[in-house]
Amino acid sequence: MLSPQILGKGDQYTVLRPDRLTTTAGRQITHIPLTAVQEVRPDGDTALTIVLTDGATRRLTGGNAYSAAAFHAALTAALPAQRDPAGSALVTTEDEGSVIEVWQVWVGVLTALAAFGGYVWWTGSAHGADMGFVAFFAAPGALLGVLSCAGVYVSVGTRVTLRRRGITVAAARHYYPNGKRASYYKYTDTSGNEHTTDYGSGRPTQEIHIVYDPEAPSTSVAVEPLYATVVKHLFYASLSLAILALGLWGVLAPYI
């Protein structure tokens, strides 16, 4: 079965489903049944125009000419023989709720970079070039330390939760249709849903034992001795705290 094709650019994209087109633009999701589509036309090199059976049109933007041509061919082949003349009346739109848009991400990133640049410049101007150099590396180091500590905390919390209510199963090595070995293992939960795990990706074994959370079956960890878990997390916690302490020292050094 071929994966559904997607035509999109920025925060707008359209997915070709077996029976409909699903267009997401910001918070709005629009569903267009294929029976309501009369034809699809190229609109420049990277866009398409959808003509509905009642004459209304919708423009779909794409990222490049190759994806637009492939989407055009796939959509044309998927159109059913029998169409519904209702056209636009069959189109439905729903609001997805709060969604972070692309421009908001860019504003956040540029604001953070501007704040970081201003901090480094001010530190260097007020406390000397050496302290500015230290601040340039210390602030990202402190952030890395915080994220590392948070990662260790989440990992420990997951282990504790799975030790209390986890279900242990054997995950089998996955193989692609051409016989090539995949780098992950697959397991099935008690509801029959299939999940994957990257634990043990470098092992040569055909299966590994994993523990998954029955309340969130996609959350899993590899079975390992308690001492190995403790030593590993103590090492990561110590390293994360050391990075955090070094980063904070660098950030606070000009003011101490």
Side-chain angles (χ1 to χ4, degrees), residues 8-9 15 55 65 70 129 132 146 151-152 168 172 181 192 208 235 245 251 255-256:
K9 183 177 182 181
V15 183
V146 170
V152 172
T168 304
R181 187 178 71 173
I208 60 172
F235 172 76
V251 171
Y255 313 100
I256 297 176

Side-chain angles (χ1 to χ4, degrees), residues 232-251:
K232 180 173 65 176
H233 283 83
L234 283 176
F235 172 76
Y236 287 138
S238 300
L239 182 61
S240 299
L241 289 172
I243 295 174
L244 176 60
L246 187 62
L248 290 176
W249 175 84
V251 171

